[in-house]
Structure formats: structure tokens, C-alpha cells
């Protein structure tokens, strides 16, 4: 069981780093260009990043059940992808 927990922590850390990097790049591009779609893109990835951080912290530090963590994380990911989809289909 410890190997699985270690693998989950490693994968979640990777997701957190990658999503944070994408969020940072998108917001920098928004500040440079003023393009609202880039702001929405950064916001979408930001929501996914916050969801990963929140659910991972709740599971590791507050002993929240894994099922609740998966459900909450899935909600954050769905909302984040909805925002990203909106950013891809909006016009300037």
C-alpha cells in the first residue's frame, strides 16, 4: 500500500508542477498581449491546479477519504476544462 501512496504523491506533484507552469505561461501571455482568451485559458488551468492542490492536501494532511478527494478533484477538473473550452471558442 505504501508504494501506491508514494506513486499517487509523485503523480500529483507532477500534475501540480505542470499545471502551475501552464497557468504561469498563459497569464504571462495574457499580460503581454491583453488577449482575453489567454486569461480564460490561464484561469482554467489555475482551477485545475487549485483542485489538485486542494484534494491532495485534504487527502494527505486531513485524512479525507480517497473517494471524496477523487470526486472533488473531478469537479475542479471539469470546471477547469469547461473554462478552457470557453477560451478556445470565444472570439476576440
Amino acid at each position: 500500500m505504501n508504494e501506491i501512496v508514494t506513486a499517487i504523491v509523485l503523480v500529483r506533484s507532477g500534475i501540480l508542477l505542470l499545471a502551475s507552469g501552464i497557468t504561469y505561461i498563459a497569464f504571462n501571455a495574457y499580460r503581454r498581449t491583453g488577449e482575453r482568451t489567454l486569461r480564460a485559458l490561464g484561469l482554467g488551468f489555475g482551477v485545475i491546479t487549485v483542485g489538485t492542490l486542494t484534494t491532495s492536501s485534504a487527502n494527505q494532511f486531513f485524512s479525507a477519504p480517497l473517494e471524496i478527494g477523487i470526486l472533488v478533484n473531478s469537479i475542479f477538473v471539469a470546471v477547469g476544462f469547461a473554462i478552457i473550452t470557453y477560451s478556445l471558442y470565444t472570439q476576440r
Side-chain angles (χ1 to χ4, degrees), residues 4-17 19-20 47-74 76-77:
I4 293 174
V5 172
T6 303
I8 290 171
V9 169
L10 289 174
V11 171
R12 291 282 184 149
S13 297
I15 291 170
L16 185 62
L17 289 173
S20 296
V47 168
I48 293 170
T49 304
V50 168
T52 300
L53 181 62
T54 302
T55 56
S56 297
S57 298
N59 189 275
Q60 287 294 320
F61 300 120
F62 303 113
S63 300
L66 183 62
E67 296 86 5
I68 298 297
I70 291 171
L71 175 63
V72 172
N73 187 47
S74 297
F76 274 100
V77 169

